[in-house]
Amino acid sequence: MRLSDLGEFGLIERLTAAVGTAARSESLLVGIGDDAAAWRSGDQVLLATTDAMVEGVHFLTGCQPWADVGWKALAANVSDIAAMGGTPEFALVTLAVSDRIAVKDIDALYEGLAECARNYGVAIVGGDIVRAEVVSVTVALLGRAQIQANGEPFLLRRDAAIAGQAIAVTGSLGDAPGGLRLLRQDMRRPHDDPLLAAYMRPHPPLALGQAAAGLGVRCGIDISDGLLQDLGHICRASKLSASVRAEAIPISLELKNAFPEEALEMACAGGEDYQLLLVGDAAVLRSLALDIDGPLTIIGETVADGDSDVRLLDATGREMALSRRGWDHLREA
Amino acid sequence: MRLSDLGEFGLIERLTAAVGTAARSESLLVGIGDDAAAWRSGDQVLLATTDAMVEGVHFLTGCQPWADVGWKALAANVSDIAAMGGTPEFALVTLAVSDRIAVKDIDALYEGLAECARNYGVAIVGGDIVRAEVVSVTVALLGRAQIQANGEPFLLRRDAAIAGQAIAVTGSLGDAPGGLRLLRQDMRRPHDDPLLAAYMRPHPPLALGQAAAGLGVRCGIDISDGLLQDLGHICRASKLSASVRAEAIPISLELKNAFPEEALEMACAGGEDYQLLLVGDAAVLRSLALDIDGPLTIIGETVADGDSDVRLLDATGREMALSRRGWDHLREA
């Protein structure tokens, strides 16, 4: 069997089985399979996550500023901590570099990392530097959860959704995949374009994740693999289904103008938006939306159905499906 | 300027300068530049380190079992926590894999990781899987320091050596670089050869690091870059010099038999032994040697001399230097 037959998630399942007894610990609260791991350490609950960016896969040298590569390598990890409702604190950075990269480019990469670290209150405290033909940046980010008065942590987990709850998302979706498409069409496009900026310098809504957890929201995930796929992770972990109203999905005017035909597809199935998806009581999510900067939009609800389906519905309530031309009605009337 | 002009340590210095304000935190005890970072978290002191292994640089596919690659990827990190006197607890594993690797090989890699995790009481709680042409395994390992009754941590630091202290090393040195040499000479050599085993499956002396810190030893480092280079890190961080008696360096019979001419060079300048070097009171180190399994050998002492020199002395006290043929006298009598 080859890796391509398994896919990333198949490989993760295989890993989870392989490490089996090596994944157990009395103090562990959340292990493999959520945005971050969580465990008790003295009077604290700690969070840890790691994300890697590889040249040619996650970024393209020559058309992305190195500072943006550095920013995004850390921001992707901040997004994981935000998706647990926690506070990021300390980062380790592993840099695999080839001698064909100029020192000034590495300096720029570190400057972008440092800028993101200052923005989110993270201290970069160590790392590793290795030689490799292909450049990659791997960040491990440690943080902590907020603790309730009873000593229990406030955590946003993938497996904590309940049927009949509302599904909400932050920001607008699809901007980052739209930006990537623009970049591929024109490598020299100005980087202040809002779609390109969304792709190159994501700003995960950290304060919102913390506020949601503090208000009692118990379920969340970051939208890094695309709305429908990430909501699918919640459905499988929580053993329920979900329905999403296509017209409720927040899509920016910039994305609609740039890709009128494909904006919905990008918002549903594009990756790397690094927004948050929350599942909780509709009234709590609405009050949260009033408290915070930036939009929080209710787009659907969870359904008591163990098939772990994610259904996208049109304005008339009919189910839609993705075809090669975008989202179509699944069943003709 | 190219990276090769700077070298790894030059690049780390540049990084330290670049992250500057992003490396500060009130709770930080040990930042960039030691075996692991350390910070206060509630009533605990946490430790974090990361190490990456890259195909073709740190391991060779085809002549090293994948299980050993997995074992060593975690063991190298355990060594960093041992060198702080701490206890490793939770690991994140980032795997960069190419589709040319068979799933059974990845399974073996994970089995080796899990075996090492069980051996050292580590829980593997998360990670990332990315696609890349070159395989690499990056582990981030979190642990904690022992805490004294007064709330201060017992830590082995690079900058805590004092002039006139004894220098001791665990195990025997040079076995791992000897094993690598054997492997390069004969890719099909049986893996139960003790030198090959030292190279492929290092066993960092975790309990000894903890015992040393608990007895009041304050300075240590792991020997992953070679004895003289790692001792040089301590000299620079502690602003003193060191002298090492060549004939006191523990060298195994296996290494002497396999490489009679080069054994001393391998013990002094070869890498990847993953033994510990401790600097402390000679009487404390001698009592520690009685308490533990496996050898702990005093090989020299620190000297009040701000040049941060590491001097290797022959049996008559004359300084030796490395030539192309091995260690020679630096100055002729």
Side-chain angles (χ1 to χ4, degrees):
Chain A
M1 187 163 39
R2 310 301 297 184
L3 289 181
S4 49
D5 303 328
L6 264 184
E8 180 188 349
F9 298 108
L11 200 56
I12 291 173
E13 278 173 27
R14 227 169 156 95
L15 155 67
T16 310
V19 297
T21 57
R24 270 186 235 138
S25 163
E26 280 179 24
S27 50
L28 190 66
L29 299 174
V30 181
I32 296 169
D34 213 309
D35 292 279
W39 64 85
R40 287 186 191 281
S41 170
D43 54 1
Q44 304 281 312
V45 169
L46 303 180
L47 303 170
T49 185
T50 186
D51 256 302
M53 287 181 59
V54 180
E55 180 184 15
V57 180
H58 302 91
F59 63 92
L60 308 168
T61 48
C63 63
Q64 272 178 276
W66 283 98
D68 288 354
V69 174
W71 172 287
K72 191 168 175 176
L74 180 53
N77 284 277
V78 169
S79 181
D80 285 328
I81 299 293
M84 302 299 287
T87 303
E89 294 186 295
F90 297 94
L92 304 173
V93 178
T94 298
L95 186 62
V97 273
S98 151
D99 200 44
R100 72 191 149 70
I101 308 296
V103 171
K104 72 173 173 48
D105 292 334
I106 302 296
D107 284 345
L109 188 153
Y110 278 132
E111 192 38 60
L113 269 168
E115 202 181 337
C116 186
R118 285 189 292 267
N119 190 64
Y120 286 103
V122 171
I124 297 172
V125 295
D128 193 16
I129 295 175
V130 294
R131 184 164 51 85
E133 270 317 293
V134 175
V135 178
S136 67
V137 192
T138 306
V139 174
L141 183 61
L142 296 314
R144 65 189 154 73
Q146 303 167 71
I147 305 280
Q148 305 178 45
N150 66 4
E152 293 302 307
F154 289 108
L155 285 176
L156 301 173
R157 302 176 57 130
R158 295 185 181 184
D159 61 2
I162 297 170
Q165 286 181 319
I167 300 166
V169 296
T170 61
S172 56
L173 301 186
D175 287 352
L180 176 58
R181 185 82 64 93
L182 289 179
L183 191 65
R184 285 189 172 139
Q185 288 171 356
D186 175 8
M187 296 290 193
R188 297 181 186 286
R189 199 175 186 90
H191 293 158
D192 56 357
D193 178 295
L195 300 183
L196 251 69
Y199 172 69
M200 293 193 184
R201 289 232 171 192
H203 282 71
L206 179 65
L208 185 131
Q210 295 167 341
L215 279 177
V217 177
R218 289 286 157 267
C219 179
I221 192 170
D222 77 334
I223 305 176
S224 55
D225 294 329
L227 169 65
L228 300 188
Q229 186 163 323
D230 287 316
L231 182 52
H233 294 318
I234 283 186
C235 287
R236 278 185 296 280
S238 296
K239 299 185 176 61
L240 42 71
S241 293
S243 62
V244 170
R245 291 181 301 282
E247 63 177 15
I249 296 172
I251 300 179
S252 69
L253 273 178
E254 288 86 357
L255 187 66
K256 281 181 187 156
N257 288 339
F259 301 102
E261 300 288 319
E262 297 154 291
L264 178 63
E265 181 187 341
M266 288 174 172
C268 287
E272 306 206 53
D273 276 322
Y274 297 107
Q275 297 293 339
L276 289 185
L277 182 149
L278 300 169
V279 183
D281 183 81
V284 172
L285 292 175
R286 276 191 210 101
S287 74
L288 182 63
L290 297 176
D291 282 350
I292 57 156
D293 283 341
L296 178 72
T297 312
I298 293 180
I299 60 167
E301 46 277 318
T302 51
V303 180
D305 170 350
D307 287 349
S308 301
D309 278 342
V310 178
R311 297 178 198 101
L312 188 67
L313 307 179
D314 70 9
T316 68
R318 285 194 304 174
E319 192 168 349
M320 303 168 76
L322 189 62
S323 77
R324 238 169 302 167
R325 292 179 305 123
W327 290 93
D328 281 344
H329 296 137
L330 184 62
R331 289 181 289 268
E332 291 306 315
Chain B
M1 185 162 39
R2 309 301 300 182
L3 289 180
S4 49
D5 302 328
L6 263 184
E8 180 188 349
F9 297 108
L11 200 56
I12 291 172
E13 278 174 27
R14 228 170 155 93
L15 155 66
T16 310
V19 298
T21 58
R24 271 186 233 138
S25 163
E26 279 179 23
S27 50
L28 190 67
L29 299 174
V30 181
I32 296 170
D34 213 309
D35 292 279
W39 64 86
R40 286 186 193 282
S41 170
D43 54 0
Q44 304 281 311
V45 169
L46 303 180
L47 303 170
T49 185
T50 187
D51 256 303
M53 286 180 60
V54 180
E55 180 185 14
V57 179
H58 304 91
F59 63 92
L60 308 167
T61 49
C63 63
Q64 272 178 277
W66 283 98
D68 289 352
V69 174
W71 171 286
K72 191 168 175 176
L74 180 53
N77 284 276
V78 170
S79 181
D80 284 328
I81 299 293
M84 302 299 289
T87 304
E89 295 186 296
F90 298 95
L92 305 173
V93 179
T94 298
L95 186 63
V97 271
S98 150
D99 200 44
R100 72 190 149 70
I101 309 296
V103 170
K104 73 172 173 49
D105 292 333
I106 302 295
D107 285 345
L109 188 153
Y110 279 132
E111 192 38 60
L113 269 169
E115 202 181 334
C116 186
R118 285 189 292 268
N119 190 64
Y120 286 103
V122 170
I124 297 172
V125 295
D128 192 16
I129 295 174
V130 294
R131 184 162 53 84
E133 270 318 292
V134 175
V135 178
S136 67
V137 192
T138 306
V139 174
L141 183 60
L142 297 314
R144 66 190 152 74
Q146 304 167 71
I147 306 279
Q148 306 178 45
N150 66 2
E152 292 302 306
F154 289 108
L155 285 176
L156 301 173
R157 303 176 57 130
R158 295 185 181 185
D159 60 3
I162 297 171
Q165 286 182 319
I167 300 166
V169 296
T170 62
S172 56
L173 302 186
D175 287 352
L180 176 59
R181 184 82 63 94
L182 289 179
L183 191 65
R184 285 190 171 139
Q185 288 171 356
D186 175 9
M187 296 287 194
R188 297 179 186 287
R189 200 175 185 91
H191 293 160
D192 57 357
D193 178 295
L195 300 183
L196 251 68
Y199 173 68
M200 293 193 184
R201 290 231 170 194
H203 282 72
L206 179 64
L208 184 131
Q210 294 166 342
L215 280 177
V217 177
R218 289 287 158 265
C219 179
I221 192 170
D222 77 334
I223 305 176
S224 56
D225 294 331
L227 168 64
L228 300 189
Q229 185 162 325
D230 287 316
L231 181 53
H233 293 319
I234 283 186
C235 288
R236 277 184 297 280
S238 297
K239 299 185 176 60
L240 41 71
S241 293
S243 64
V244 170
R245 292 181 299 281
E247 64 177 14
I249 297 172
I251 299 180
S252 69
L253 274 177
E254 289 85 357
L255 187 67
K256 282 180 186 156
N257 288 338
F259 301 101
E261 301 288 320
E262 296 155 292
L264 178 62
E265 181 186 342
M266 288 174 171
C268 288
E272 306 206 53
D273 276 322
Y274 297 108
Q275 297 293 340
L276 289 185
L277 181 149
L278 300 170
V279 183
D281 183 82
V284 172
L285 292 174
R286 277 192 208 99
S287 74
L288 183 63
L290 297 175
D291 283 349
I292 57 156
D293 283 342
L296 178 72
T297 312
I298 293 180
I299 60 167
E301 47 277 318
T302 50
V303 180
D305 170 351
D307 287 349
S308 301
D309 277 342
V310 178
R311 297 179 197 100
L312 187 68
L313 307 179
D314 71 9
T316 68
R318 284 194 304 173
E319 192 168 348
M320 303 169 75
L322 190 62
S323 77
R324 239 170 302 169
R325 291 179 306 123
W327 289 93
D328 280 344
H329 296 136
L330 184 64
R331 288 182 290 268
E332 291 305 316

